[in-house]
């Protein structure tokens, strides 16, 4: 009998939800939780003790023996250290499992090895983790047995953020405070909080685990460093939204079930553009929870893949010449009394508020395009942005035809009288049309697109945390709201002041709007004329974090201190250097121990064939020509290998920092690319039987 699953029953089965808290906590304790969740502040230790006990009892009922403070250090992935609930046996030798309020709200992982960018001298190595009460605890079913995971923020003892979550929480707070000022001005005085909501669509590749294990590059760097294109690519478009194959279907089914149990609202699944590429989208939720859930999604994708004999590749560019993976970060801002501020609304009042908010976002994105670009950079994304498969590295905003026209009219005349769809555009006097996202008109090439009632930030890398992009978005928009509110709160004639502000911001920042083809060469030129930044790589984007403009922004809203920003700069350079170093060493290893030896034996075979064929009195020109070609590329490979070895050694000896990171980008990376060229040529010439590892065709067409 096929096992039927009941989604309603399993959903959030492994989450300590509000409902479970309500059922298991005394009323007063539950109320305190709700208060702290909604208004901030700290739990009393007495209440923390009560919650910890209830949480532990629930977890133990579900078979958990350990708990873990689950956090997101600057490595970009999650970290956990497991502690069991075990205590000293009592005098009768009986074990009582315990979990105290103190253990719940604060932890001290000995985390001296996590990157801190010099913020935390190693002698006082212990950072601490603090429970993020707004993100629910959950049970992870790992090989170690079920573990109670408590989502936490990770800070140094002096309070500096050492993770991706703390700044995100700070930025959400800042956005809420500033956005409230705006909505209050427009008469929504009921709203007590504004929430940033995020839905992150996640792309990924699945390959056969056994084949992947035969490739060091996939094992060590999550992507292929060698590989000639397969005879067939994605030119037939037969994979995109194609029928999902049995093996993949089985995987997706289990992935959904596992995610549902963890309270992740996995909603949509489909095949993506490239062969072996797929996508999963959850339903949007509060930004910090979405960030936690996206980490859970990535982790679960990998874990479930292993069970199906598959390997999940989250790298931005696992295969050269094949579309890479990204994450579409859908972002909106909502009041706690049910209004989405990015929804144009139905009344003139809502419309004007929407236009002001849009004007503020235009200002924010234009002013801080560099920061937004930085927030979406990671090592893998360098291989993808601007490569005709993902947005270019230039930030711009897509508004769609209708809305762009409204902006144009407002800029030109100060009023928008007409609407492209026909009918009367009624800004100021009547209402805006519905800016429904129009499926036929959606511009996939834009990095930041308005899609009806949200912005879709499409630049984010598939493997990256969505912490930084959302921190940056919240921060820059908070700043624009703050400056607008400063002016509007003082205005004598509010209506006129709003009108003037919309016109001023839209006029000044109109250059950030671009509805055309973002993949085209003309756009690169046009963007340069407009003075928009075009930051090609991750290392070039790092500096944007410590410009006066950035420091002022982040310090003003208490999101990062200058020291925190400087530490992140250090970590980013180091991360880049280390990642490229691993890739370089992997290439060196594969070239010298696998490819070159295989090709050498092949040339021996060929040489022997030539001799034997000639001995038999026949002409051996085909064999000889092949031998010559192969031998030529072999020599090129050997030379390129030596150059890479030299560059790598030089890079490794350098002091960590900006100069080293740039050396990796300019010298090591270039030497890596040069080594790949003859290797890929050899792959096509050499007998498949002797090629030392699975090829692209083996990996992406035979899953
Ligand atoms: P598409 O592929 O067309 O972009 P999907 O349905 O795959 O659309 O993904 C859309 C994502 O946007 C989903 O995660 C969805 O929950 C999210 N989303 C929808 N509305 C909002 C909103 N108001 N704020 C934030 N995210 C949203
Ligand atoms: Mg999308």
């Amino acid at each position: 009998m096929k096992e039927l699953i009941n989604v309603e029953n399993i959903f959030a089965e492994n989450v300590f939800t509000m409902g479970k808290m309500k059922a298991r906590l005394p009323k007063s304790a539950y109320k305190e939780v709700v208060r702290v969740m909604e208004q901030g502040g700290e739990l009393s230790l007495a209440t923390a003790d009560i919650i910890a006990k209830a949480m532990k009892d629930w977890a133990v009922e579900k078979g958990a023996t350990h708990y873990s403070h689950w956090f997101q250090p600057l490595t970009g992935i999650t970290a956990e250290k497991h502690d069991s609930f075990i205590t000293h046996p009592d005098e009768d030798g009986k074990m009582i499992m315990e979990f105290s309020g103190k253990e719940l709200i604060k932890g001290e992982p000995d985390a001296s090895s996590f990157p801190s960018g010099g913020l935390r001298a190693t002698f006082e190595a212990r950072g601490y983790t603090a429970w993020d009460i707004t993100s629910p605890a959950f049970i992870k079913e790992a090989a170690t047995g079920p573990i109670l995971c408590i989502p936490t923020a990770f800070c140094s003892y002096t309070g500096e953020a050492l993770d991706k979550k703390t700044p995100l929480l700070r930025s959400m707070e800042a956005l809420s405070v500033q956005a409230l000022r705006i909505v209050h001005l427009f008469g929504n005085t009921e709203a007590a909080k504004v929430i940033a909501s995020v839905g992150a669509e996640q792309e990924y590749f699945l390959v056969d685990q056994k084949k992947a294990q035969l490739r060091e590059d996939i094992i060590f760097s999550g992507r292929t460093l060698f590989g000639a294109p397969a005879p067939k690519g994605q030119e037939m478009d037969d994979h995109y939204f194609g029928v999902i194959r049995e093996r993949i279907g089985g995987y997706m089914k289990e992935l959904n079930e596992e995610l549902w149990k963890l309270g992740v609202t996995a909603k949509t699944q489909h095949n993506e553009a490239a062969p072996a590429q797929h996508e999963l989208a959850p339903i949007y939720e509060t930004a910090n929870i979405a960030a936690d859930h996206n980490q859970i999604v990535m982790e679960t994708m990998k874990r479930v893949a292993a069970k199906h004999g598959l390997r999940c590749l989250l790298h931005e560019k696992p295969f050269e010449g094949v579309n890479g993976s990204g994450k579409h970060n859908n972002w909106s801002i909502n009041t706690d009394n049910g209004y989405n501020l990015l929804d144009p609304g139905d009344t003139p009042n809502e419309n004007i508020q929407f236009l002001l908010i849009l004007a503020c976002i235009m200002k924010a994105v234009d002013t801080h395009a560099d920061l937004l670009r930085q927030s979406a950079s990671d090592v893998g994304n360098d291989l993808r942005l601007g490569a005709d498969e993902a947005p270019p590295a230039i930030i711009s905003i897509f508004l769609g035809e209708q809305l762009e026209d409204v902006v144009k009219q407002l800029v030109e005349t100060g009023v928008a009288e007409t609407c492209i769809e026909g009918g009367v555009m009624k800004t100021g006097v009547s209402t805006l049309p519905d800016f429904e996202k129009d499926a036929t008109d959606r511009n996939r090439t834009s990095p930041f697109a308005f899609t009806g009632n949200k912005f879709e930030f499409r630049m984010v890398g598939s493997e990256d945390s969505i912490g930084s992009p959302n921190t940056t978005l919240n921060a820059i928009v908070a700043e624009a709201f703050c400056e607008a509110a400063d002016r509007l709160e003082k205005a004598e004639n509010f209506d006129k002041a709003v009108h003037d502000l919309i016109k001023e911001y839209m006029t000044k920042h109109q250059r950030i709007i671009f509805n055309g083809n973002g993949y085209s060469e003309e756009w690169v030129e046009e963007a340069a004329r407009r003075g928009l930044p075009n930051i090609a790589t991750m290392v070039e984007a790092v500096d944007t974090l410590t410009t006066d403009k950035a420091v002022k922004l982040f310090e003003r809203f208490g999101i990062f201190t200058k020291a925190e920003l400087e530490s992140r700069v250090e970590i980013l350079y180091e991360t880049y250097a280390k990642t490229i170093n691993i890739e370089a060493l992997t290439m060196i290893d594969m070239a010298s121990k696998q490819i070159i030896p295989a090709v050498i034996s092949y040339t021996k075979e060929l040489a022997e064939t030539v001799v034997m064929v000639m001995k038999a009195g026949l002409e051996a020109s085909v064999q000889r020509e092949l031998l010559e070609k192969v031998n030529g590329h072999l020599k090129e490979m050997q030379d390129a290998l030596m150059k890479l070895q030299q560059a790598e050694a030089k890079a490794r000896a350098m002091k960590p920092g900006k100069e080293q990171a740039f050396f990796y980008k300019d010298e090591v990376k270039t030497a890596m690319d040069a080594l790949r060229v003859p290797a890929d040529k050899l792959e096509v010439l050499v007998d498949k039987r002797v090629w030392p590892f699975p090829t692209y065709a083996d990996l992406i067409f035979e899953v």
Side-chain angles (χ1 to χ4, degrees):
M1 259 271 286
K2 222 176 182 169
E3 195 196 340
L4 295 176
I5 63 145
N6 181 329
V7 183
E8 287 178 15
N9 286 347
I10 66 164
F11 189 79
E13 176 184 289
N14 289 349
V15 184
F16 198 58
T17 55
M18 291 308 282
K20 288 186 188 108
M21 278 208 234
K22 198 169 184 179
R24 285 169 180 262
L25 293 178
K27 228 182 189 150
S28 60
Y30 178 73
K31 272 197 177 145
E32 197 174 324
V33 172
V34 174
R35 185 179 50 75
V36 174
M37 279 182 79
E38 284 174 359
Q39 297 163 26
E42 273 180 36
L43 285 177
S44 67
L45 204 54
T47 305
D49 277 330
I50 296 171
I51 302 170
K53 179 165 185 313
M55 212 185 251
K56 185 257 313 173
D57 289 345
W58 169 74
V60 169
E61 282 164 30
K62 301 200 67 89
T65 50
H66 289 67
Y67 73 94
S68 166
H69 274 203
W70 186 77
F71 59 106
Q72 303 175 24
L74 294 168
T75 49
I77 52 169
T78 57
E80 50 193 73
K81 175 187 155 217
H82 306 162
D83 280 295
S84 75
F85 297 122
I86 282 181
T87 54
H88 271 299
D90 68 10
E91 56 267 32
D92 302 327
K94 189 175 171 331
M95 168 55 58
I96 298 175
M97 306 278 263
E98 262 177 24
F99 184 45
S100 71
K102 238 167 106 190
E103 288 168 311
L104 166 65
I105 56 183
K106 199 162 175 174
E108 293 183 27
D110 177 15
S112 47
S113 296
F114 289 111
S116 76
L119 275 181
R120 188 165 32 88
T122 15
F123 59 85
E124 42 165 6
R126 293 193 306 185
Y128 71 91
T129 49
W131 183 28
D132 170 12
I133 193 170
T134 60
S135 185
F138 59 94
I139 289 178
K140 189 155 99 173
E141 287 171 327
T144 46
I147 294 187
L148 171 66
C149 292
I150 297 147
T152 56
F154 180 43
C155 295
S156 78
Y157 260 96
T158 39
E160 280 106 357
L162 297 172
D163 66 353
K164 303 227 173 192
K165 175 158 217 179
T166 309
L168 176 61
L169 291 170
R170 293 173 181 163
S171 75
M172 289 167 65
E173 185 68 41
L175 180 68
S176 178
V177 170
Q178 302 307 327
L180 271 182
R181 294 173 67 192
I182 303 281
V183 297
H184 286 171
L185 281 167
F186 280 88
N188 178 358
T189 47
E190 308 266 275
K193 198 173 175 178
V194 174
I195 302 139
S197 300
V198 171
E201 302 161 52
Q202 177 73 47
E203 290 181 332
Y204 61 101
F205 276 85
L206 288 176
V207 295
D208 185 86
Q209 169 77 322
K210 284 209 188 79
K211 287 181 195 153
Q213 264 161 352
L214 296 170
R215 295 196 56 132
E216 271 180 44
D217 47 5
I218 293 186
I219 294 172
F220 294 130
S221 39
R223 73 169 178 117
T224 56
L225 298 163
F226 293 104
K232 180 180 169 195
Q234 61 199 56
E235 61 275 34
M236 306 295 283
D237 283 330
D238 51 357
H239 188 71
Y240 192 52
F241 281 38
V243 177
I244 294 165
R245 272 172 289 182
E246 285 287 299
R247 187 174 183 195
I248 305 300
Y251 167 81
M252 286 179 170
K253 177 172 183 288
E254 188 173 345
L255 175 62
N256 283 333
E257 286 165 17
E258 290 300 305
L259 290 173
W260 290 333
K261 282 201 242 167
L262 290 165
V264 179
T265 49
K267 170 88 175 159
T268 319
Q269 63 198 23
H270 60 79
N271 286 349
E272 256 303 325
Q277 190 186 31
H278 313 279
E279 181 185 294
L280 181 142
I283 296 174
Y284 67 98
E285 51 200 341
T286 307
N288 63 315
I289 298 175
D292 284 356
H293 280 174
N294 183 249
Q295 293 289 349
I296 293 180
V297 165
M298 293 196 284
E299 231 178 275
T300 310
M301 280 180 166
K302 290 187 183 165
R303 187 163 53 80
V304 173
K307 286 210 231 164
H308 289 250
L310 295 163
R311 189 175 182 111
C312 173
L313 305 180
L314 292 171
H315 195 280
E316 284 77 12
K317 192 74 183 172
F319 304 99
E320 196 172 276
V322 174
N323 265 17
S325 301
K327 202 133 48 188
H328 288 179
N329 187 86
N330 294 273
W331 174 89
S332 68
I333 25 186
N334 307 275
T335 66
D336 59 350
N337 61 344
Y339 293 95
N340 176 355
L341 303 184
L342 298 185
D343 191 324
D346 303 318
T347 65
N349 192 46
E350 284 168 359
N351 288 171
I352 301 207
Q353 179 184 298
F354 169 74
L355 289 172
L356 175 70
I357 282 168
L358 180 65
C360 287
I361 292 176
M362 284 171 61
K363 176 180 184 217
V365 174
D366 187 28
T367 310
H368 297 293
D370 58 342
L371 280 178
L372 215 46
R373 163 69 183 92
Q374 190 288 321
S375 78
S377 65
D378 69 8
V379 188
N381 228 7
D382 278 4
L383 300 167
R384 178 177 158 267
L385 295 180
D388 276 13
E389 58 184 278
I394 308 160
I395 296 275
S396 64
I397 301 180
F398 170 82
L399 289 182
E401 207 186 342
Q402 278 187 325
L403 195 50
E404 191 194 18
D405 184 61
V406 170
V407 170
K408 205 166 141 237
Q409 291 183 52
L410 286 170
V411 167
E412 281 167 10
T413 63
V415 280
E417 301 268 356
T418 56
C419 162
I420 271 189
E421 293 286 83
V424 185
M425 236 315 295
K426 316 163 206 160
T427 305
V429 262
S430 33
T431 58
L432 285 170
D434 264 352
F435 297 110
E436 278 304 320
K437 68 174 183 182
D438 172 357
T440 57
D441 180 45
R442 279 200 301 151
N443 186 334
R444 288 269 160 198
T445 68
S446 173
F448 197 70
F450 181 68
T451 44
N453 61 0
K454 60 184 162 76
F455 275 98
E456 195 169 333
F457 187 27
R458 302 207 183 103
M459 209 183 230
V460 184
S462 50
E463 199 159 29
D464 212 359
S465 151
I466 56 168
S468 302
N470 289 301
T471 302
T472 305
L473 265 174
N474 295 341
I476 64 177
V477 173
E479 182 188 58
F481 284 170
C482 175
E483 286 167 15
D486 283 349
R487 272 169 62 177
L488 295 177
E489 281 165 0
K490 280 192 245 126
E492 274 167 25
N493 181 341
F494 178 72
D495 290 346
K496 182 169 182 310
V498 174
H499 175 274
D500 291 350
L501 206 63
I502 293 174
K503 185 163 184 223
E504 178 190 322
Y505 282 5
M506 287 190 171
T507 308
K508 205 160 157 207
H509 301 286
Q510 206 184 2
R511 66 169 186 172
I512 198 72
I513 308 284
F514 178 63
N515 282 347
N517 177 7
Y519 293 176
S520 70
E521 197 41 48
E522 294 86 75
W523 170 232
V524 176
E525 289 159 21
E526 167 65 17
R529 271 195 296 278
R530 294 189 191 184
L532 300 177
N534 182 359
I535 307 173
T537 62
M538 168 179 164
V539 288
E540 287 162 284
V542 173
D543 271 347
T544 62
L545 285 174
T546 42
T547 59
D548 291 344
K549 170 174 79 84
V551 174
K552 189 171 146 240
L553 162 75
F554 288 125
E555 286 205 324
R556 177 173 183 187
F557 297 104
I559 295 166
F560 288 114
T561 61
K562 188 158 187 239
E564 285 172 330
L565 288 166
E566 283 165 350
S567 78
R568 267 154 223 254
V569 162
E570 241 180 76
I571 291 166
L572 288 167
Y573 285 135
E574 237 179 285
T575 304
Y576 185 84
K578 283 183 184 163
T579 308
I580 302 293
N581 191 254
I582 292 171
E583 291 189 349
L585 291 176
T586 304
M587 282 189 95
I588 291 171
D589 211 55
M590 289 172 82
S592 56
K593 298 205 188 116
Q594 295 188 290
I595 305 177
I596 292 180
V599 176
I600 288 180
S601 4
Y602 185 58
T603 52
K604 177 168 172 270
E605 242 179 74
L606 278 175
E608 282 167 4
T609 313
V610 172
V611 172
M612 279 158 70
V613 170
M614 282 169 57
K615 228 185 190 162
L618 295 169
E619 186 272 342
S621 63
V622 174
Q623 294 86 333
R624 186 194 300 270
E625 266 167 39
L626 184 57
L627 176 58
E628 262 170 32
K629 251 197 206 159
V630 170
N631 210 38
H633 293 318
L634 182 61
K635 174 82 177 81
E636 283 160 33
M637 219 184 136
Q638 180 62 27
D639 293 345
L641 174 63
M642 277 169 61
K643 282 200 186 123
L644 177 58
Q645 280 168 326
Q646 283 159 6
E648 190 277 329
K650 207 163 154 192
R652 199 150 31 109
M654 289 170 82
K655 195 169 130 279
K658 182 173 179 175
E659 207 186 317
Q660 187 199 39
F662 272 83
F663 189 87
Y664 269 105
K665 170 174 91 67
D666 296 328
E667 305 297 328
V668 179
K669 189 103 202 331
T670 312
M672 284 165 56
D673 294 342
L675 174 60
R676 181 173 182 148
V677 174
D680 290 358
K681 283 189 188 148
L682 283 165
E683 187 192 312
V684 214
L685 290 173
V686 166
D687 191 337
K688 184 162 169 61
R689 184 174 47 83
V690 301
W691 198 249
F693 38 75
T695 63
Y696 274 22
D698 301 330
L699 283 168
I700 50 185
F701 284 97
E702 288 175 27
V703 190

